[in-house]
């Protein structure tokens, strides 16, 4: 692959796209696929060929369009006027004829999904810029939207240290949860000893209800490959692994196809862009253990061992996969890298807050009208996410809390709704950014029950290696069960709090250290609910089944 | 000379000089500060899982495990600060609460000072008289008693994984593992089969490292606390490896055997050395017996020896056979007795093989484990020198190349990167001069393949057995100087016997003196002679066919020396006191020679030791 070839592919693809008068984009990411968007696409294909419109209308599968709650989603876009695109929701195969008929006329009213609403207008798309636009199965479409231009720029005009400086200046922080400076991580690996280094993409997304990474991989896999290749160039690695959970078959399929295409195009492999830069990527499948998202457990799993964390130091940046310096970043982190290179660190640093730059993708779930995938600039008030983008709480219910960060995060109550969403602010209220799960809860949710749910999750996902996590999560779960079934005592609560402290202070890895967070934040903001269960033997939300205390005769 | 680099740290206010790369726990231990730990074991790679060794380190946000945290210059550590102790107590409570640690019903229960159970000891040390969490006695934790020699009681298991790591890192057997996760985590064998049906070879390394009563030895359980037993370092006489052992004895009984961590075997033993030695044995012979009216009748030493001396005097020629398990001193006295007293050269070993020739720079056991290329030519260490077999597997785990040269399949074949075929060139002619028994040859192409592999390695070791052709031995001797050689000798002290001129061979004479020590026939039949004297510790088919039977010491009662496969002379120290009526072999021979009318040239064991070592 030469720079000229790359721009030629882009030009040919762009010209080809211009030939069609209309393009019909059908979401074929997992959300819409599960409501049979593949059948919709087939029906549209048939309809177009039945009417002999193949040369003027192009039907293609694209990645996630965001509003998963309204799927399957279809977007019709006139090539000449992209702004005049119409989005259709809850489309079925039977609607194909109507949609194709409307190409030259007014849109099909009953299916229209308004896009001038905050859900679409308030978002800021960097990571998801191509989601719902390009066909994830075709590398040409990615190249046509400036794909691999960042990699080209890096290998042809920048020294590895300059790449690291650029990422450092952008202020990008790890999107996997902890928010460690990406540039700093890269420079540590670059300084690591030895000539063999590895780049690993952590796609073992495991938080309940979170699907940001899956969506990126399904909608725009090349973006992640490009981000990894840029990282590999910067740190001096020649082999990369994507550790993706086996429960994401579609993401795996698209990744495999993308890797093959990139290899064939010479964008992965040996002598990329004609210089002595070699980089290959292999996929490793996770077997569904949440703890394998922890970097040392993930490395153990890639090495073929039982997926359990090991104490750090040494950090993977010094001694990781097979004992070599290893860079591990999350899917979303890598997906941010190509646009940072293309548009410059200043552009990226201009988005977000002082310490949290860029955007963050959230999977909006729970008691909110617009569930789906959103990307918002860092620092956006939580209220805006819930009420504007999320469309508020359905069924006239009242918001109770917003849970972020999954089992390691916390529940943020209504009174903190005006806080900005960034790493520091979330930490201040006892929660974390996490990988981007955001669960909205209304007043029918019992917060003790929520804490119990997450503790149950941690209990069964603990790897069982260190004592505090293995025993502590089980003990805490037992105590929470006692409280929710009405047999809890004040002593139980004291013990629960004590255990929270011990787990935080003594657990081996992040799973155990953060497992108490849901308990701690619910205790901080909803202690009255615990008290009600313990003292009055009632569940204020009415969701727990309280056993009447046995009568003493 | 450049001074060794030093890392200066402070532990509990005491300035300590540590070596770079040491962990906080190791550095503290070297300075005499004991940081409590359960999953940590000095001979296993640290795991950092029990969280008992958490200490406070200045500038660290959270408590850090001393067992994995590397020392750094200027580090300030507090091992018993209020914060560290508080968390340690909580962690100990959690461990106690997880399963059924009901000390008073556990065979490992000891005292605050003893080392029986490391968990219990910490419970005492930190004053744990209760724990706040619900106990788990209700659950039926399984007990796996399917292994012959020891039992796994999951109720006592704290999941420290010392056993798993010992199985992987020391024995290199990879039988033990962990199944499930979180609170369902259990130690398991292979794909969760019962231990008795697993690939376990009963080396017992896991048993030796278990900190609690989860792994319990069947023979020694409930037979004495650490404070009531004696630990003695000794040598295992099970085979020619001569592993260092620590014998646990009480009231003149051998309760248990453990591997000596400081010896060449680095704590490892095989099932023979660890377990078979404490298995029940046949009836012990306490007094001499003389066949009277077809029956063996107990009699006094004087009568038996006088009777035997008379028979030997009458005989035209007396033949002698001795067990290769006997120490140098017994063998030397035996040879001396035949040469000097009976004027007979018909003396040899009861069984075993001629030790192979010495070829070059001798290897020590550690060379095998640390080698990057191991050649095993003729011989089967997985069967005959089991601990060496484990060392080979350990080297294999560290990416050593394994080359197996044999004429038949061996257990090592599955580890072999290269397998070469030995050719049987034995020739069974009529005349003894034409016989070439059990002789094997390696063709030239094989030799050159072997040579190429050895030359490419940095620390090659050749393990070789007997019975190879002169050409092959010459080829091995011609290997580069960096090669270390370890002979695979069959017969515990065959090397020592060979130095005394004793080798397995047919002996001739109408009277026979067989000195078997504590060996048992295991199907082997003695040659029939007009008069047979058997000196044996146990009654067996051998003694039942004898005319005179004399008592003998068992291995644990003997004193002397043996020569192992490394060619080292190892002292054999008595662990037990022999019954009053049982004497050392050399003493019997002295008495017998006097009754024959000739005095031997020694009258103290030290005289023989001086002569043979």
């Amino acid at each position: 692959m030469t720079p000229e070839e790359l721009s030629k592919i882009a030009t040919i693809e762009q010209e080809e796209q211009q030939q069609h008068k209309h393009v019909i984009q059908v979401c074929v990411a997992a959300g819409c696929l599960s409501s049979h968007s593949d059948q919709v696409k087939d029906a549209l294909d048939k309809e177009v060929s039945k009417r002999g419109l193949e040369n003027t209308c192009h039907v293609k599968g694209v990645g996630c369009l965001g509003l998963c709650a309204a799927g399957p989603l279809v977007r019709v876009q006139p090539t000449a006027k992209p702004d005049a695109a119409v989005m259709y929701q809850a489309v079925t195969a039977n609607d194909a004829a109507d949609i194709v008929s409307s190409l030259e006329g007014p849109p099909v009213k009953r299916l229209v999904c308004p896009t001038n609403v905050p859900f679409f207008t308030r978002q800021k798309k960097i990571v998801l810029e191509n989601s719902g636009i390009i066909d994830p199965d075709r590398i040409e479409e990615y190249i046509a939207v400036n794909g691999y231009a960042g990699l080209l720029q890096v290998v042809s005009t920048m020294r590895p240290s300059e790449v690291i400086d650029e990422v450092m200046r952008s202020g990008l922080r790890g999107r996997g949860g902890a928010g460690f400076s990406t540039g700093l991580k890269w420079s540590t690996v670059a300084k690591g000893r030895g000539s063999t280094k590895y780049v690993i993409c952590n796609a073992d997304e495991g938080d309940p209800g979170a699907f940001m990474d899956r969506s990126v991989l399904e909608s725009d896999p090349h973006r992640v490959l490009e981000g990894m290749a840029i990282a590999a160039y910067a740190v001096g690695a020649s082999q990369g692994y994507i550790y993706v959970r086996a429960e994401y078959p579609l993401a795996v399929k698209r990744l495999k196809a993308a890797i093959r295409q990139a290899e064939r195009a010479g964008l992965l492999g040996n002598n990329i862009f004609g210089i002595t830069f070699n980089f290959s990527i292999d996929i490793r499948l996770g077997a569904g253990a949440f703890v394998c998202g922890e970097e040392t457990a993930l490395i153990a799993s890639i090495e073929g061992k039982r997926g359990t964390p090991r104490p750090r130091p040494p950090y993977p940046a010094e001694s990781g996969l097979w004992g070599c310096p290893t860079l591990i970043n999350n899917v979303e982190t890598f997906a941010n890298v190509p646009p940072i290179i293309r548009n410059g660190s200043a552009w990226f640093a201009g988005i977000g807050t002082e310490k949290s730059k860029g955007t963050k993708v959230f999977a909006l779930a729970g008691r909110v009208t617009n569930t789906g995938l959103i990307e918002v600039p860092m620092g956006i008030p939580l209220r805006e996410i819930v009420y504007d983008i999320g469309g508020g709480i359905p069924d006239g219910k009242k918001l109770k809390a917003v849970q972020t960060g999954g089992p390691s995060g916390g529940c943020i109550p209504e009174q903190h709704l005006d806080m900005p969403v960034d790493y520091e602010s979330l930490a201040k209220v006892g929660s974390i950014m996490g990988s981007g799960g955001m669960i909205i809860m209304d007043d029918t949710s019992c917060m003790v029950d929520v804490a119990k749910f997450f503790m149950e999750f941690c209990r069964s996902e603990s790897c069982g290696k260190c004592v505090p996590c293995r025993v502590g999560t089980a003990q805490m779960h037992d105590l929470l069960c006692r409280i929710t079934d009405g047999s809890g005592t004040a002593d139980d609560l004291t013990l629960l709090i004590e255990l929270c402290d011990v787990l935080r202070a003594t657990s081996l890895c992040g799973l155990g250290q953060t497992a108490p967070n849901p308990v701690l934040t619910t205790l901080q903001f909803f202690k009255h609910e615990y008290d009600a269960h313990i003292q009055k033997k009632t569940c204020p939300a009415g969701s727990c089944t309280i056993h009447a205390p046995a009568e003493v005769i | 000379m450049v001074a060794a680099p030093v890392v200066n740290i402070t532990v509990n206010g005491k300035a300590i000089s540590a070596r770079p790369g040491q962990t906080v726990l190791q550095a503290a231990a070297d300075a005499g500060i004991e940081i409590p730990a359960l999953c940590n074991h000095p001979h296993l790679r640290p795991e950092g899982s029990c969280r008992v060794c958490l200490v406070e380190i200045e500038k660290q946000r959270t408590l850090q495990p001393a067992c994995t945290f590397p020392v750094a210059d200027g580090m300030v550590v507090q091992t018993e600060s209020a914060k560290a102790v508080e968390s340690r107590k909580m962690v100990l409570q959690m461990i106690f609460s997880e399963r059924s640690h009901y000390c008073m019903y556990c065979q490992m229960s000891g005292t605050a000072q003893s080392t029986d159970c490391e968990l219990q000891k910490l419970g005492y040390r930190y004053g744990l008289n209760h724990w706040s969490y619900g106990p788990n006695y209700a659950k039926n934790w399984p007990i796996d008693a399917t292994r012959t020699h020891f039992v796994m009681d999951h109720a006592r298991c704290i999941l420290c994984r010392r056993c798993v790591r010992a199985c992987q890192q020391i024995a290199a057997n990879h039988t033990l593992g962990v199944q499930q996760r979180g609170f369902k985590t259990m130690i398991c064998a292979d794909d969760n089969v019962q231990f008795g049906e697993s690939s376990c070879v009963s080396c017992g390394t896991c048993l030796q490292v278990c900190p609690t009563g989860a792994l319990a030895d069947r023979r020694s359980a409930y037979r004495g606390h650490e404070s009531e037993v004696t630990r003695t370092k000794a040598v295992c006489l099970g085979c020619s490896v001569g592993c260092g052992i620590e014998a646990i004895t009480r009231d003149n009984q051998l309760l248990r055997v453990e591997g000596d961590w400081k010896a060449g075997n680095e704590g490892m033993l095989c099932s023979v050395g660890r377990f078979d030695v404490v298995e029940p044995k046949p009836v012990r012979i306490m007094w001499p017996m003389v066949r009277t009216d077809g029956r063996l009748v107990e009699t006094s030493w004087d009568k038996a020896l006088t009777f035997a001396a008379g028979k030997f005097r009458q005989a035209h020629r007396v033949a002698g056979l001795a067990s290769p398990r006997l120490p140098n001193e017994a063998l030397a006295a035996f040879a001396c007795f035949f040469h000097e007293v009976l004027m007979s050269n018909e003396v040899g070993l009861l069984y075993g093989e001629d030790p192979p020739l010495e070829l070059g720079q001798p290897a020590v056991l550690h060379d095998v484990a640390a080698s990057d290329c191991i050649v095993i030519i003729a011989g089967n260490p997985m069967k005959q020198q089991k601990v060496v077999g484990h060392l080979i597997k350990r080297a294999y785990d560290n990416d050593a190349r394994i080359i197996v040269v044999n004429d038949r399949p061996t257990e090592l074949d599955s580890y072999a990167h290269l397998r070469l075929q030995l050719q049987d060139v034995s020739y069974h002619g009529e005349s003894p001069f034409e016989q070439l028994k059990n002789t094997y040859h390696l063709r030239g192409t094989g030799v050159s393949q072997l040579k190429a592999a050895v030359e490419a390695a940095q620390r090659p070791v050749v393990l070789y057995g007997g019975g190879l052709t002169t050409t092959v031995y010459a080829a091995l001797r011609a290997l580069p100087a960096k090669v270390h050689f370890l002979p695979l000798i069959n017969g515990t002290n065959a090397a020592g016997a060979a130095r005394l001129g004793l080798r397995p061979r047919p002996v001739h004479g109408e009277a026979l003196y067989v000195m078997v020590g504590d060996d048992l026939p295991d199907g082997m039949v003695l040659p029939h002679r007009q008069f047979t004297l058997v000196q044996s510790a146990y009654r067996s088919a051998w003694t039942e066919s004898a005319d005179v039977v004399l008592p003998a010491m068992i291995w644990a009662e003997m004193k002397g020396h043996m020569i192992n496969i490394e060619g080292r002379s190892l002292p054999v120290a008595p662990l037990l006191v022999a019954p009053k009526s049982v004497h050392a072999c050399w003493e019997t021979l002295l008495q017998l020679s006097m009754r024959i009318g000739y005095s031997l040239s020694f009258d103290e064991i030290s005289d023989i030791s001086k002569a043979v070592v």
Side-chain angles (χ1 to χ4, degrees), chain B residues 118-363:
Chain B
E118 297 177 36
L119 176 63
Q120 187 192 33
K121 194 181 168 194
L122 288 181
Y124 278 121
R125 174 163 167 182
Y126 289 99
L128 280 195
N129 47 17
H130 76 290
W131 58 88
S132 322
Y133 320 118
N136 247 340
Y137 303 155
K139 187 160 174 194
N140 275 324
W141 299 97
I143 294 177
D144 189 327
T146 55
R147 260 189 295 217
T148 316
H149 302 291
F150 55 109
V151 178
M152 170 82 191
D153 183 352
H154 288 279
R156 314 282 196 220
C157 175
I158 58 168
L159 294 172
C160 66
R161 289 147 221 240
R162 279 192 195 177
C163 55
V164 178
R165 283 176 286 155
C167 195
Q168 290 171 358
Q169 297 166 17
I170 297 180
N173 213 50
H174 303 278
T175 297
L176 294 181
V178 181
Q179 59 143 331
Q180 287 285 2
R181 61 178 180 234
F183 66 107
K184 291 181 183 162
T185 308
M186 297 281 271
I187 300 298
C188 71
D190 295 335
D191 289 339
N192 195 22
V193 297
Q194 298 212 299
F195 289 109
E197 290 154 19
S198 70
S199 57
C200 171
V201 294
S202 288
C203 69
T205 316
C206 52
L207 173 70
Q208 186 167 327
V209 298
C210 180
T212 69
L215 287 171
D217 178 45
R218 286 182 194 259
R219 292 278 162 212
S220 63
Y222 297 108
R223 290 182 68 191
H225 297 304
E226 279 294 336
S227 55
E228 295 155 334
V229 300
T230 311
R231 280 179 177 265
T232 317
K233 291 206 175 189
V235 171
C236 172
L237 294 181
C239 76
S240 57
V241 181
C243 290
I245 59 168
E246 232 176 82
I248 289 95
T249 54
R250 183 186 187 185
D251 298 338
N252 206 32
Q253 283 188 62
L254 181 64
L255 302 186
R256 190 169 77 244
V257 171
E258 291 184 356
D260 181 357
W261 294 110
K262 296 218 165 75
N265 48 307
E266 294 167 42
M268 208 181 351
L269 290 177
C270 68
S271 62
V272 177
R274 192 186 297 271
F275 296 117
D276 288 0
V277 288
V278 286
E279 286 298 297
K281 293 288 184 300
V283 181
R284 184 83 192 258
I285 296 166
M286 303 301 280
W287 289 97
M289 291 182 283
V290 174
R291 193 167 293 278
T292 320
D293 303 330
R295 281 191 324 114
L296 284 172
V297 179
E298 272 187 8
T299 179
S300 70
W301 271 98
D302 182 51
K303 278 186 185 153
L305 288 172
T306 309
F307 179 71
K311 287 285 183 188
F312 284 160
R313 251 198 321 258
Q314 285 165 20
H316 173 63
R317 198 158 51 165
V318 183
L321 289 171
S323 158
R325 256 167 65 85
L326 294 167
N328 292 343
E329 285 74 1
L331 292 171
F334 194 65
C336 224
F337 175 75
F338 272 82
H339 295 152
E340 291 181 30
V341 180
L342 298 174
M343 305 297 211
S344 165
N345 270 326
E346 292 298 323
V347 57
L349 291 181
L350 185 55
Y351 60 88
E353 286 167 22
D354 265 340
L357 307 163
E358 283 173 28
L359 287 184
Q361 212 177 342

Side-chain angles (χ1 to χ4, degrees), chain B residues 492-573:
Chain B
T492 304
N493 193 23
R499 290 194 191 177
L500 295 162
L502 293 175
R503 38 185 297 263
R505 67 175 182 104
V507 287
H508 305 283
E510 63 266 34
L512 180 66
Y513 184 167
V514 192
M515 189 182 267
V516 299
D518 60 359
D519 264 328
L520 291 166
D522 197 19
M524 198 174 120
V525 184
L526 291 182
H528 184 74
R529 299 292 150 88
Q530 281 174 19
F531 173 79
T532 307
L533 186 161
V534 174
Q535 188 167 11
S536 166
Y538 301 114
R539 288 193 84 131
S540 69
W542 287 340
T543 59
E544 294 318 294
S545 66
D547 299 293
V548 173
V549 175
L550 298 177
M553 286 185 172
I554 61 166
W555 70 278
E557 293 159 356
M558 290 188 229
K559 188 169 186 286
H561 294 80
M562 74 160 280
I563 294 172
N564 79 339
I565 49 172
E566 300 165 306
R568 287 195 299 138
S569 174
L570 303 169
V572 176

Side-chain angles (χ1 to χ4, degrees), chain A residues 287-291 306 308-314 456 459-472 474-475 479 495 498-499 502-509 513, chain B residues 46-51 54 60-65 68-70 83 87-88 90-91 93-95 97-98 132-136 158-161 178-185:
Chain A
F290 177 68
V291 74
R306 183 178 158 90
T308 48
R310 59 156 178 81
R312 301 172 300 180
E456 159 88 74
R459 181 183 76 137
S460 49
E461 291 298 336
S462 162
C463 80
K465 180 171 172 174
C466 81
V467 172
C469 182
R470 183 181 75 231
V471 185
Q475 293 287 2
L479 291 168
L495 195 56
E498 215 173 273
L499 275 165
V502 178
L503 257 69
R504 291 181 104 172
T506 62
S507 294
L508 197 163
C509 82
Q513 286 162 9
Chain B
E47 171 116 328
S49 69
C50 75
R51 315 310 276 177
L54 290 181
Q60 288 294 323
R61 197 171 44 90
T62 53
L63 296 171
Q64 294 294 339
T68 60
F69 208 85
K83 199 173 153 193
S87 88
R88 199 167 292 152
M90 289 291 275
V91 168
Q93 284 190 38
M94 286 194 203
I95 297 174
S97 75
E98 189 179 17
S132 322
Y133 320 118
N136 247 340
I158 58 168
L159 294 172
C160 66
R161 289 147 221 240
V178 181
Q179 59 143 331
Q180 287 285 2
R181 61 178 180 234
F183 66 107
K184 291 181 183 162
T185 308

Side-chain angles (χ1 to χ4, degrees), chain B residues 12-29:
Chain B
N12 299 348
K14 183 180 170 186
I16 286 177
S17 297
R19 292 193 306 277
Q22 271 192 316
T23 64
V24 171
L25 190 134
Q26 287 165 341

